[in-house]
Amino acid sequence: MNDQELNPWIDRVIEGDQAAFDVIYDLTKKKVYATATMLIRNKEDVNDVVSEVYCQMFKSLPSFNRSRSFSYWLNGILINQINNWRRQVWRRFRLSQKHDMLQEHRPPELPDEFLIQSEGQQQLLGLIKKLPYKLRVVVLYKYYYEYSNDEIAELLRIPVGTVKSRNSLALKQIRQRFGTHLVQEVTLKNV
């Protein structure tokens, strides 16, 4: 998916064409779901967040700045929705904690379309999913989307130095758990 392919569809969505929205959804949903799945552990929550992403995208599309990449803009919406979701989860957790009714967490699940090709990649993906959210989101945008440190910093609204340190810390933790020889063989780019 590139911006030149999407521009005519974006124009049609702005004009009110529902079929054009469906085309944009079909072109972007795989990466949006994969990203959300890496950052949110509960599958039901992933679906809710992705639905909110596309609702927000539809509302905000007329103000989309075409000097930026559409994928980058859409990821900005995704991060905002995930942060909103995390705040809601935290509030619910605090309420539960006050009532001494903590629930156990389900293991992370992947959407059916997100297939992993090798056992090494499966192990690496499992380790990445175990990283704290702040490290996991940097790794995902750095190696899956191939964003620069500056782009990640802008997207997450954190300093570039923080992006670099979180990336370094994430890779250090992955190497410790996965082994340095396998990290060299399996690149994060293929996850």
Side-chain angles (χ1 to χ4, degrees), residues 27-91:
L27 290 172
T28 60
K29 70 179 177 184
K30 187 174 181 180
K31 270 202 162 182
V32 170
Y33 267 100
T35 302
T37 300
M38 287 297 294
L39 300 175
I40 301 171
R41 289 187 166 89
N42 189 334
K43 188 174 183 176
E44 290 81 22
D45 290 336
V46 169
N47 292 330
D48 291 344
V49 168
V50 169
S51 294
E52 288 297 320
V53 166
Y54 283 102
C55 287
Q56 187 63 41
M57 181 199 79
F58 183 77
K59 291 176 191 173
S60 302
L61 208 50
S63 65
F64 167 56
N65 179 357
R66 296 189 191 210
S67 67
R68 295 302 282 238
S69 157
F70 181 79
S71 175
Y72 186 79
W73 178 77
L74 187 58
N75 272 301
I77 293 173
L78 177 61
I79 282 297
N80 287 336
Q81 293 303 321
I82 289 173
N83 288 338
N84 291 340
W85 169 81
R86 291 185 66 195
R87 278 190 293 276
Q88 290 174 356
V89 168
W90 180 246
R91 286 181 196 128

Side-chain angles (χ1 to χ4, degrees), residues 8-190:
W9 298 109
I10 291 169
D11 292 335
R12 289 177 59 186
V13 170
I14 292 171
E15 293 170 2
D17 185 351
Q18 178 63 39
F21 178 82
D22 294 341
V23 170
I24 291 174
Y25 174 78
D26 288 338
L27 290 172
T28 60
K29 70 179 177 184
K30 187 174 181 180
K31 270 202 162 182
V32 170
Y33 267 100
T35 302
T37 300
M38 287 297 294
L39 300 175
I40 301 171
R41 289 187 166 89
N42 189 334
K43 188 174 183 176
E44 290 81 22
D45 290 336
V46 169
N47 292 330
D48 291 344
V49 168
V50 169
S51 294
E52 288 297 320
V53 166
Y54 283 102
C55 287
Q56 187 63 41
M57 181 199 79
F58 183 77
K59 291 176 191 173
S60 302
L61 208 50
S63 65
F64 167 56
N65 179 357
R66 296 189 191 210
S67 67
R68 295 302 282 238
S69 157
F70 181 79
S71 175
Y72 186 79
W73 178 77
L74 187 58
N75 272 301
I77 293 173
L78 177 61
I79 282 297
N80 287 336
Q81 293 303 321
I82 289 173
N83 288 338
N84 291 340
W85 169 81
R86 291 185 66 195
R87 278 190 293 276
Q88 290 174 356
V89 168
W90 180 246
R91 286 181 196 128
R92 281 183 273 169
F93 175 74
R94 294 289 305 248
L95 288 173
S96 295
Q97 192 177 33
K98 288 179 182 178
H99 294 96
D100 295 322
M101 297 172 61
L102 298 175
Q103 298 177 2
E104 62 182 313
H105 299 284
R106 294 184 189 171
E109 298 178 35
L110 294 174
D112 297 336
E113 308 100 55
F114 192 64
L115 301 176
I116 307 206
Q117 298 173 356
S118 76
E119 184 177 318
Q121 288 174 336
Q122 287 177 351
Q123 291 173 344
L124 184 57
L125 181 61
L127 289 173
I128 291 170
K129 288 185 72 96
K130 290 179 183 177
L131 290 172
Y133 172 81
K134 290 180 178 185
L135 301 181
R136 194 169 62 238
V137 70
V138 169
V139 168
L140 181 67
Y141 283 131
K142 179 98 173 144
Y143 299 102
Y144 185 65
Y145 283 96
E146 298 179 356
Y147 289 154
S148 70
N149 290 337
D150 292 333
E151 290 173 321
I152 296 168
E154 183 180 339
L155 193 62
L156 299 178
R157 297 181 184 140
I158 58 176
V160 175
T162 303
V163 171
K164 291 176 182 178
S165 66
R166 287 180 184 175
N167 182 54
S168 177
L169 182 58
L171 293 178
K172 180 180 177 183
Q173 288 183 15
I174 290 170
R175 282 187 197 103
Q176 287 173 344
R177 295 177 186 165
F178 200 64
T180 55
H181 65 285
L182 289 175
V183 171
Q184 293 168 352
E185 294 174 19
V186 180
T187 65
L188 293 172
K189 185 176 177 183
N190 293 328

